[in-house]
Amino acid sequence: MTKAKRLFLSGGIFILALIIFIWRPTILIYGIQRAGLYAAVALPMALVLGIVHIVNLAHGELLMVGAYLTYFVSVTFGLDPLIALLPVAVVMFLLGMVIYKLTIKHTLKAPELNQLILTFGLAMVLGQSVNLIATSQPRTLTVDYVSTSLSIGELTFGVYDFIFPATALIILGGLLFFLRKTRVGKAAQAVGQNPRGAEIVGIDVDKIYLIIFSLSTALVSIMGSLYLTKQSIFPLVGGPFTMKSFALVAMAGIGSLPGVLIASLVLGVSETFLLSFKGYGGWSNIVFFAFIIGVILIRSHKGKQI
Amino acid sequence: MKISPKIVIFLIIILLSIAFPFFAGPYQQSIAKNVIIYMILALSWNMLLKTGQISFGLAGFFGIGAYASVLLSLKLGIPPILTIVLGGIVTSLVASAMGMIILRLRAMYFAITTLALGEIFRVIIHNVPNFAGGAHGLILPGVIFDGNGLYTYWLFLGAALFSIGLSYYFDKSKIHLALTAIRDNETTAKVRGIDIFKYLLIVFTITAGMQGIAGGLYAQSFGFVTPESSFSGDFILLPIAMALLGGIYTTAGPVVGAIVLGVISEYLKLYIPYGHLIVYGLIIVIVILFMPNGIIGALYVKIDGRKTFGKVDQPNE
């Protein structure tokens, strides 16, 4: 993307945001909150796709497992979910390591088809294991501070949900710092650009893959914990997140982490926009997917290697 | 013409499956019908897979076929058998229109887009309560053949044989060569003058039609459709697991896989009501990791000593 184009795009988005803000400020507020959730969930997937080069169709299921673990830890030990998320993230990091070592590692050299089917199978195993252990009954954790609201003039809105965009920004900042400033992160970027070249200069590619995959698992599990504080969870809750995350990553262009944030913003706000019309809420998903298919197609027709 | 033992065995199997209802109870027949539904889906998924395209749109086309069949008989009063065929044709038409756009995508982009399309169909059906019943779905006044199990079973069997024949034809005809060439190396195939897009569109349309027919059969034999049951993720997961277990890129693979897994899952359903689908997930993972050629592939290697069966497990550098 050229500089002028980028300027034009961000200028357009800013003006659009301003118009929506003046017209119906709640759409923008809730849109940003929603976008934050999408972005924070999609970022770990972008990381894996950019460096390990696999589409993890079990991404949403990992979020779901993280949410369930947080639920059980919170209920058993009476912990606040926001505290429970830390030990859960550590456990999920280890689970990511196990999944990588046992399965993903062995299909990295196989055709892409095998990787897709493998992670699809993993998604089923995770989803159905939870179904087996915890049944399909929805679970809700009630925490009182999530309903804190703020009033500015006539405007009243939930404050707690800003935790999602805040987390998204923290994750993005952290990842960018990790990739650009740390030794392991730089090595990971090299692996992402050219695995064979990285191997030749002495980088342990397998170890990088292991770290990146486990890191992404831990990050998505944190989002699962946060999701639990707002919504009820059930074994199938993760599925849509996989699709939405992939779509956001594809829109942003593989390898672009900040792009994920912009793509999420566009989708979050347009979804909220549709939801604000009474009776049309059910259609919000379809617009989402239509949007995605459109963007993927435009990108592929431009002849870009996507 | 020389009669080979293969043909004799094949004929015996067909005769046995036609006579099946005479020595099996209604419960066994209903299992057989379920197996056939998934067999058709597995065969069609595998046919598209031969071109190197992995589709997760099975449930979407299955649901379209089911809804088309039910709507045609409810609104226009067309006899059930005809609506099943028409449902398949409607699905084919939808698929060819979609295919024009999405068949330019490859690999993961194609896979995810087909998954999203299935979701879109479900959302559309969900949101048109006046036409398609919305979330509650539609109920037919009666099931096909007024619930005559024998005729229903034979209809299902006919559809299964038709699908097997179609898949076999694709294996043996010139199309097969073009498809394999596309899968192995698309650029080379293009250079050699194969019209990739045309072949992809043909296969995509035909396989979607098969999935639509399976949906119509399902809807007409159960007598109802709902967005959640007709577009269920089971119709993606189970056929893929079956085709993988049996062995992909062959016709026999999905057939064997559907029978083996279909029968096993019936028993599992009795013992583990929640989460028996975990077995399918595990099978997918284990097969991909340890025996990418499936049961049929393993047999071929044993019998023929062929080592180069399929292309699944070769490193793709």
Side-chain angles (χ1 to χ4, degrees), chain A residues 166-179:
Chain A
T167 316
L169 286 175
I170 293 170
I171 290 180
L172 178 67
L175 283 180
L176 288 179
F177 177 80
F178 167 70
L179 289 174

Side-chain angles (χ1 to χ4, degrees), chain B residues 58-308:
Chain B
L58 290 156
F61 293 131
F62 183 90
I64 291 184
Y67 264 91
S69 165
V70 169
L71 282 171
L72 283 171
S73 46
L74 275 183
K75 308 259 166 182
L76 301 176
I78 300 172
I81 295 193
L82 211 58
T83 64
I84 293 171
V85 177
L86 287 175
I89 294 172
V90 169
T91 315
S92 285
L93 290 176
V94 173
S96 58
M98 296 284 172
M100 292 281 186
I101 311 168
I102 65 169
L103 280 172
R104 301 189 190 276
L105 304 172
R106 290 292 174 269
M108 54 186 177
Y109 292 95
F110 181 79
I112 301 271
T113 311
T114 51
L115 197 61
L117 277 178
E119 197 68 13
I120 286 182
F121 296 146
R122 194 179 61 78
V123 173
I124 292 178
I125 296 285
H126 217 119
N127 287 292
V128 283
N130 296 328
F131 182 64
H136 300 292
L138 296 166
I139 298 170
L140 285 170
V143 293
I144 194 167
F145 299 125
D146 293 325
N148 185 324
L150 200 58
Y151 292 152
T152 317
Y153 172 78
W154 281 337
L155 178 69
F156 274 61
L157 187 65
L161 290 176
F162 175 73
S163 304
I164 294 170
L166 207 59
S167 173
Y168 188 73
Y169 171 74
F170 267 70
D171 274 352
K172 296 293 160 195
S173 68
K174 225 175 74 184
I175 297 179
H176 156 73
L177 297 175
L179 297 184
T180 312
I182 295 171
R183 185 180 84 222
D184 287 348
N185 191 329
E186 201 175 314
T187 317
T188 316
K190 213 174 197 167
V191 171
R192 289 282 171 136
I194 297 173
D195 189 346
I196 293 174
F197 188 72
K198 186 184 89 183
Y199 281 110
L200 283 181
L201 193 60
I202 292 175
V203 179
F204 190 63
T205 306
I206 291 178
T207 54
M210 289 164 71
Q211 287 149 18
I213 288 177
L217 284 174
Y218 190 82
Q220 291 290 351
S221 70
F222 283 94
F224 73 94
V225 277
T226 65
E228 309 311 324
S229 72
S230 303
F231 291 94
S232 161
D234 290 2
F235 298 120
I236 308 174
L237 171 69
L238 273 61
I240 291 180
M242 287 165 174
L244 277 171
L245 180 69
I248 48 178
Y249 303 144
T250 61
T251 294
V255 176
V256 172
I259 294 171
V260 172
L261 259 188
V263 173
I264 292 176
S265 80
E266 276 306 320
Y267 288 99
L268 282 173
K269 225 184 256 176
L270 295 179
Y271 294 111
I272 326 172
Y274 284 106
H276 66 274
L277 287 173
I278 192 177
V279 178
Y280 289 94
L282 282 173
I283 284 174
I284 290 179
V285 172
I286 291 167
V287 168
I288 277 286
L289 289 177
F290 298 109
M291 45 186 259
N293 295 330
I295 295 175
I296 293 291
L299 281 180
Y300 264 111
V301 174
K302 274 252 161 62
I303 295 168
D304 291 4
R306 273 201 246 171
K307 285 280 178 325
T308 54

Side-chain angles (χ1 to χ4, degrees), chain A residues 55 109 124 132 196 297, chain B residues 101 108-109 237 274 316-317:
Chain A
V55 182
K109 290 220 164 117
M124 286 303 148
L132 200 65
R196 194 176 276 180
L297 286 172
Chain B
I101 311 168
M108 54 186 177
Y109 292 95
L237 171 69
Y274 284 106
N316 181 19
E317 291 275 335

Side-chain angles (χ1 to χ4, degrees), chain A residues 24-43:
Chain A
R24 288 236 182 116
T26 43
I27 293 181
L28 196 66
I29 290 168
Y30 290 129
I32 288 173
Q33 292 172 343
R34 191 177 270 258
L37 176 65
Y38 289 157
V41 177
L43 279 169

